[in-house]
Amino acid sequence: MSKQINVALIGNPNTGKTSVFNALTGLKQKVSNYPGTTVDKKEGVCKLPRGLKAHIIDLPGTYSLNASSLDENVVVELLLNKTDKNYPDVAVIVTDVENLKRNLLLFTQIKDLRIPTVLVINMADLMKRRGISLNIPLLEEKLNTRIALISTRQNLGIDSLKEIINNYKSISTDPCLDTSRIDPEYFDNLKQAFPNQDLYKLWLVISQDANFGRMSRKTLDIEKFKTKSISELKRLQQKETIKRYQFINSVLKVGQTIDTTKATGLRARLDRILTHKVWGYVIFFVILLTIFQAIYDWATVPMDFIDGAFASLSHWLKTVLPAGIATNLLAEGIVPGLGGILIFIPQIAFLFLFISVLEESGYMSRVVFLMDRVMRRFGLSGKSVVPLISGTACAIPAVMATRNIENWKERLITILVVPFTTCSARLPVYLIIIALVIPEGRFLGLSYQALSLMFLYILGFGSAVFSAFLLDKVLKIQRKSYFVIEMPNYKIPLFRNVLITVVEKTKAFVFGAGKIILAISIILFVLASTGIGRQFNNADYIVRMEVAGENLSEEEIETRIASHKLEHSLIGVAGKAIEPVIQPLGYDWKIGIAIICSFAAREVFVGTLATIYSVGQDDEDTIKNRMKKEINPVSGVPLFNFASGISLLLFYAFAMQCMSTLAIVKKETNSWLWPMAQLVFMTALAYLVALIVYQFLK
Amino acid sequence: MTVADLKKGESGIITDSSSDEIPLKLLEMGCLPGNEVELIQTAPFNDPLYLNINGSHVAIRHRIAALIQIEKADE
Amino acid sequence: MINEIIQTILVISAMLVATVFLIYKFVVSPKRKKATKECGHDDCGC
């Protein structure tokens, strides 16, 4: 039974900390949640020399233990809580050669918590080019730690890091800074009141309390020590920072030499174009268009493949398994239902791929820089760009990505409007309706169908931005400017990192939404194949009587029977019940059912229609063909015609998202008010627009 | 003068960054008296400003930049 | 005959599991997450 130790990976963002984590744990990692928060918790296992096992936690990137966001708060909470089962036996601080001075601030803070702390200096491969040289033994002595100089890009130094972690017990836990020097009088009082506690730890708890207004553990009764006002505390924090830098400067003066003649140039040169007042924006829009175009084009092939594969699977199951309800459930309920979600893994994966590359390369920060002023006009932040773009994949990770927006009002507004952007789940609905009702033909070289899709995307962004504008005027919340964003060096994204990110995010999406859809598919199928009363049970007899005079083939009769059964099944009854409400929009009860079910997950709309149209049918027709044949009993024309199609498209453009999105909004805003408001407002808007459009167009 | 008054490419030495409105994070990134700050680029309307503060490349909004007192570096 | 019985049992169990799962996900779960702290209405910068 090998012993296991807890290792915490901490560091500034953009230092390659994730690469270190990946290098240490390989694919043996797991992503979950910090309880009570939505912050990602990444853990993995690494085998150290001589049988020791390291349980590694990759903590969110932070610049200092004085947290300014939820992510950063998670780090502090863990490091202050000795009873937490993840409390580290050793802390590994990841820094990079270029920003060593700033990175060391965090290092000194953590060392002062008296945890064995190891220093990792990453990006060693850049040292020569930047003219930086380090005296490692001297630095180790001055900082009282062990240092691993590594390069994740060239895969160097990882083994020596493992060796150092292995010997963690030999690392000194003396602090760097004598905390009481910040304000001798204040800290002497503290020392007397709490003689058994670490001074720095005490200080952190007090200042954190001021920052965040509440503490989750009651290890200290610090209430009586709130003798300083918030601005006085801030002044002390400033003093602390100055003292730390004084220490760091003295260390680096002897331990580091920089040859300034070897200045970089690449970052400056790239920035000159990419953040240019005109070209910056042009380039950004071109990149955006390319991404969307690529996703639309590239994804079509795998998607068609998946669609066909699932149709075949369905058919094959029916021939291979014994006939009966369970087989039907599998072949006509579960398989098409699942196919409906798996079919757009290609899209989601591509989008996450592009976003990940943009972030890893450092370009994303430039985008935020370019867009901030514009965004603020509408109550958003430059940092809202990432959530808004992510929203085109799925609103759920998009809402979670708002965590790094410091300003509460900007963050809230971003969360509320992200659901307007065209998420991947709407695409199946859009694509199938567009294919059915938009005519062939081109305009300026682009097909009408492509143009319609583009229009819907623009509509999504437009309504998001416009709603943000309205919300900004309406919401009476204070708004201060805490905006600070680092502009990291440009680098070529590490393929491994990008891959792992894409796999993780796609998995999370598929399994999260997948389970809900599976459950809905099952229930749906059962409701659609069960019915009570004469009409249902004697369907066969009734229909045959009805069509006695007409000369129908056996196949056509079977189809009629299946249809009749469906109409009188439990689901048919529910559908008919809401039909009067949706008829003014041009829909029938089948569409009605699909709409209701898609509240669970938007893409379920197509899956539901697939189920409804496959129930009872035996051939391999894909959904599209069957829908084309459907006739609206009231108007006598095809159900999916231009007017009803547009109405449906617009309904989906504005209707409130899936249940999963409501749940995440509730989590991130901590109240039911906002998700409910979203639900009511957006559903009403969708209904009205669809109604007006249909009545106008028909 | 303040950071907001810098022209593209110009540098200054920070003399006062004690305003309450300046986020602690910025101070921790090196925005402290005695450190050098250079303006690299501005977005339209001079907002936000892309700066090099003590080696850290960051972008901040105009409002905050106007609270950081500097004196021009000698040529 | 046996086939029919097995099939019916399978379907009913699937139905039960699905329903319970959905109820759990949408009714019980959000209530549990309410344990998080009050955050966001002051200028904590968060």
Side-chain angles (χ1 to χ4, degrees):
Chain A
M1 210 9 218
S2 53
K3 185 174 170 240
Q4 204 181 20
I5 57 170
N6 281 335
V7 175
L9 268 187
I10 316 176
N12 283 192
N14 302 311
T15 49
K17 181 165 64 69
T18 310
S19 306
V20 175
F21 179 70
N22 289 340
L24 287 173
T25 61
L27 289 167
K28 290 182 272 162
Q29 34 177 282
K30 170 182 88 159
V31 180
S32 56
N33 261 133
Y34 285 99
T37 74
T38 51
V39 179
D40 274 348
K41 183 184 192 187
K42 276 174 42 180
E43 332 173 58
V45 177
C46 170
K47 277 223 242 341
L48 296 175
R50 294 184 288 283
L52 196 58
K53 261 213 297 218
H55 169 240
I56 308 189
I57 298 197
D58 184 14
L59 290 173
T62 180
Y63 294 101
S64 130
L65 290 184
N66 295 312
S68 60
S69 70
L70 269 177
D71 284 29
E72 298 179 348
N73 196 42
V74 163
V75 180
V76 179
E77 293 254 345
L78 177 65
L79 295 178
L80 284 177
N81 190 3
K82 276 216 174 93
T83 61
D84 191 314
K85 68 173 164 86
N86 287 313
Y87 186 79
D89 298 294
V90 56
V92 175
I93 316 297
V94 180
T95 67
D96 73 90
V97 271
E98 285 196 282
N99 295 297
L100 197 52
K101 190 175 356 179
R102 184 191 70 220
N103 288 178
L104 282 177
L105 180 74
L106 182 62
F107 174 83
T108 61
Q109 290 176 332
I110 297 189
K111 196 126 199 322
D112 287 356
L113 287 177
R114 294 189 183 272
I115 304 173
T117 310
V118 170
L119 179 64
V120 168
I121 304 182
N122 193 9
M123 305 191 190
D125 49 302
L126 292 176
M127 280 170 67
K128 250 224 194 96
R129 249 192 290 161
R130 307 263 189 269
I132 302 176
S133 53
L134 300 168
N135 183 339
I136 302 289
L138 186 57
L139 285 173
E140 281 185 335
E141 185 201 315
K142 294 247 170 226
L143 293 173
N144 222 339
T145 178
R146 296 297 317 280
I147 300 181
L149 187 62
I150 68 178
S151 162
T152 48
R153 213 157 267 268
Q154 295 175 342
N155 223 342
L156 296 168
I158 302 293
D159 287 325
S160 73
L161 174 61
K162 287 190 189 170
E163 194 57 57
I164 294 178
I165 296 179
N166 213 11
N167 296 326
Y168 71 98
K169 292 215 177 113
S170 65
I171 300 182
S172 137
T173 54
D174 289 336
C176 289
L177 180 73
D178 182 2
T179 316
S180 56
R181 281 173 57 213
I182 301 177
D183 185 332
E185 186 193 322
Y186 180 70
F187 281 95
D188 268 335
N189 287 339
L190 260 187
K191 236 192 284 198
Q192 279 169 17
F194 302 98
N196 295 325
Q197 296 286 347
D198 267 329
L199 212 51
Y200 180 60
K201 231 188 194 158
L202 267 182
W203 169 235
L204 252 189
V205 172
I206 294 176
S207 52
Q208 282 308 93
D209 207 52
N211 279 353
F212 263 59
R214 79 286 178 267
M215 284 268 102
S216 59
R217 311 140 285 106
K218 283 189 220 57
T219 46
L220 306 164
D221 177 19
I222 35 142
E223 278 311 309
K224 44 193 169 138
F225 248 88
K226 296 259 196 69
T227 51
K228 297 261 178 188
S229 70
I230 296 215
S231 81
E232 282 175 330
L233 276 176
K234 186 134 179 257
R235 228 155 279 272
L236 287 184
Q237 283 175 324
Q238 193 177 8
K239 262 203 190 165
E240 175 199 340
T241 310
I242 294 179
K243 289 221 179 291
R244 288 192 187 278
Y245 270 116
Q246 281 172 347
F247 171 69
I248 294 172
N249 282 334
S250 71
V251 168
L252 287 181
K253 211 165 181 195
V254 291
Q256 176 193 60
T257 32
I258 305 184
D259 181 356
T260 46
T261 60
K262 294 225 180 133
T264 18
L266 181 64
R267 166 162 45 185
R269 268 181 278 145
L270 276 177
D271 273 335
R272 219 166 294 150
I273 318 173
L274 295 176
T275 55
H276 188 266
K277 287 200 166 73
V278 176
W279 291 114
Y281 292 98
V282 172
I283 294 179
F284 174 54
F285 286 126
V286 168
I287 292 182
L288 262 187
L289 278 173
T290 315
I291 292 179
F292 287 133
Q293 175 68 11
I295 293 177
Y296 186 39
D297 274 343
W298 297 356
T300 333
V301 172
M303 281 170 74
D304 283 340
F305 170 72
I306 296 178
D307 192 19
F310 271 81
S312 310
L313 176 63
S314 189
H315 181 90
W316 177 80
L317 281 172
K318 290 198 87 169
T319 56
V320 158
L321 295 175
I325 316 180
T327 306
N328 289 352
L329 170 62
L330 191 60
E332 291 161 7
I334 296 182
V335 167
L338 281 182
I341 182 183
L342 290 179
I343 200 171
F344 56 107
I345 288 182
Q347 244 145 33
I348 300 232
F350 276 131
L351 197 58
F352 282 141
L353 175 72
F354 282 116
I355 293 181
S356 176
V357 165
L358 288 183
E359 282 185 329
E360 283 274 320
S361 65
Y363 179 63
M364 220 24 131
S365 309
R366 275 72 183 179
V367 172
V368 172
F369 171 75
L370 285 173
M371 302 301 291
D372 186 57
R373 185 93 212 294
V374 173
M375 292 280 181
R376 256 187 294 149
R377 267 296 160 84
F378 301 103
L380 301 164
S381 154
K383 294 188 179 178
S384 307
V385 172
V386 175
L388 282 176
I389 296 184
S390 304
T392 54
C394 175
I396 295 157
V399 168
M400 302 206 303
T402 61
R403 267 183 268 123
N404 68 346
I405 300 178
E406 297 103 336
N407 186 294
W408 169 242
K409 188 178 185 191
E410 288 168 358
R411 182 162 172 245
L412 176 63
I413 294 182
T414 310
I415 291 177
L416 292 178
V417 304
V418 151
F420 273 116
T421 56
T422 309
C423 79
S424 287
R426 286 185 176 112
L427 266 184
V429 181
Y430 286 173
L431 290 176
I432 214 169
I433 305 288
I434 288 179
L436 280 173
V437 308
I438 303 287
E440 304 281 331
R442 297 194 158 251
F443 178 71
L444 293 182
L446 293 164
S447 71
Y448 285 140
Q449 300 198 347
L451 281 174
S452 317
L453 190 64
M454 204 164 73
F455 171 71
L456 286 167
Y457 267 103
I458 296 177
L459 184 64
F461 274 114
S463 38
V465 164
F466 183 65
S467 313
F469 180 69
L470 288 178
L471 280 170
D472 189 30
K473 299 279 181 258
V474 165
L475 289 178
K476 298 269 177 283
I477 307 176
Q478 239 201 343
R479 205 178 146 185
K480 284 222 202 133
S481 270
Y482 291 119
F483 183 86
V484 174
I485 186 169
E486 188 190 355
M487 308 285 261
N489 225 335
Y490 288 103
K491 42 186 173 140
I492 302 185
L494 262 183
F495 181 68
R496 177 169 60 178
N497 286 356
V498 171
L499 189 64
I500 293 185
T501 306
V502 173
V503 168
E504 284 299 331
K505 291 214 163 123
T506 311
K507 257 197 331 193
F509 162 76
V510 169
F511 289 126
K515 284 189 256 180
I516 297 178
I517 290 173
L518 184 57
I520 302 244
S521 300
I522 294 176
I523 295 180
L524 207 56
F525 174 82
V526 173
L527 288 179
S529 353
T530 321
I532 46 178
R534 260 196 72 244
Q535 286 286 346
F536 185 81
N537 292 323
N538 302 337
D540 194 282
Y541 177 74
I542 295 176
V543 171
R544 284 187 195 274
M545 290 266 73
E546 265 177 22
V547 304
E550 311 163 38
N551 218 338
L552 297 175
S553 72
E554 183 58 28
E555 199 192 309
E556 286 169 327
I557 298 184
E558 294 280 333
T559 311
R560 283 283 195 95
I561 294 177
S563 226
H564 183 101
K565 273 182 129 170
L566 186 59
E567 203 175 318
H568 297 279
S569 68
L570 289 175
I571 226 180
V573 171
K576 295 251 154 143
I578 65 163
E579 205 170 25
V581 178
I582 55 176
Q583 207 148 63
L585 280 65
Y587 315 152
D588 74 344
W589 60 274
K590 288 186 191 158
I591 298 184
I593 296 292
I595 292 181
I596 295 179
C597 290
S598 70
F599 270 94
R602 299 275 86 175
E603 62 270 25
V604 170
F605 178 82
V606 179
T608 310
L609 284 182
T611 307
I612 290 181
Y613 285 105
S614 351
V615 170
Q617 250 102 320
D618 214 19
D619 53 311
E620 258 182 42
D621 249 320
T622 49
I623 308 154
K624 232 186 282 184
N625 292 332
R626 289 213 203 123
M627 284 168 76
K628 253 205 186 109
K629 299 182 198 158
E630 185 76 7
I631 305 288
N632 186 335
V634 170
S635 60
V637 298
L639 179 63
F640 294 98
N641 57 55
F642 190 73
S644 65
I646 302 288
S647 161
L648 202 51
L649 286 175
L650 289 176
F651 182 82
Y652 265 94
F654 295 114
M656 178 51 195
Q657 289 287 67
C658 49
M659 296 288 206
S660 316
T661 310
L662 278 171
I664 197 92
V665 171
K666 191 255 162 204
K667 222 180 353 171
E668 296 278 339
T669 58
N670 238 312
S671 91
W672 274 114
L673 166 66
W674 298 114
M676 284 301 117
Q678 267 180 322
L679 179 64
V680 168
F681 175 67
M682 288 174 84
T683 312
L685 179 66
Y687 186 84
L688 278 171
V689 172
L691 176 68
I692 295 173
V693 166
Y694 179 70
Q695 294 298 335
F696 183 71
L697 282 178
K698 78 166 180 183
Chain B
M1 66 184 283
T2 70
V3 170
D5 301 317
L6 282 173
K7 302 264 184 304
K8 197 164 130 177
E10 287 184 345
S11 311
I13 307 284
I14 301 177
T15 54
D16 180 10
S17 59
S18 57
S19 165
D20 269 350
E21 305 255 338
I22 301 179
L24 182 61
K25 190 186 214 167
L26 199 56
L27 303 176
E28 287 167 339
M29 291 186 92
C31 180
L32 295 167
N35 287 339
E36 186 179 338
V37 54
E38 177 199 347
L39 177 65
I40 302 180
Q41 179 72 275
T42 66
F45 300 104
N46 223 24
D47 196 359
L49 290 100
Y50 178 0
L51 307 163
N52 177 352
I53 304 182
N54 197 33
S56 289
H57 287 73
V58 296
I60 60 176
R61 290 181 176 158
H62 186 267
R63 221 182 117 243
I64 301 296
L67 295 170
I68 307 174
Q69 304 286 340
I70 58 171
E71 59 185 20
K72 242 341 216 337
D74 301 308
E75 288 303 319
Chain C
M1 260 321 284
I2 302 220
N3 176 43
E4 255 176 57
I5 299 177
I6 297 181
Q7 298 240 351
T8 316
I9 294 179
L10 279 177
V11 172
I12 295 184
S13 355
M15 183 76 172
L16 281 172
V17 169
T19 318
V20 168
F21 170 73
L22 284 179
I23 294 181
Y24 176 76
K25 196 104 218 224
F26 291 115
V27 176
V28 176
S29 243
K31 282 216 188 100
R32 278 208 308 171
K33 282 163 193 164
K34 239 184 190 157
T36 38
K37 319 124 192 185
E38 205 23 74
C39 168
H41 296 291
D42 30 339
D43 275 342
C44 60
C46 95

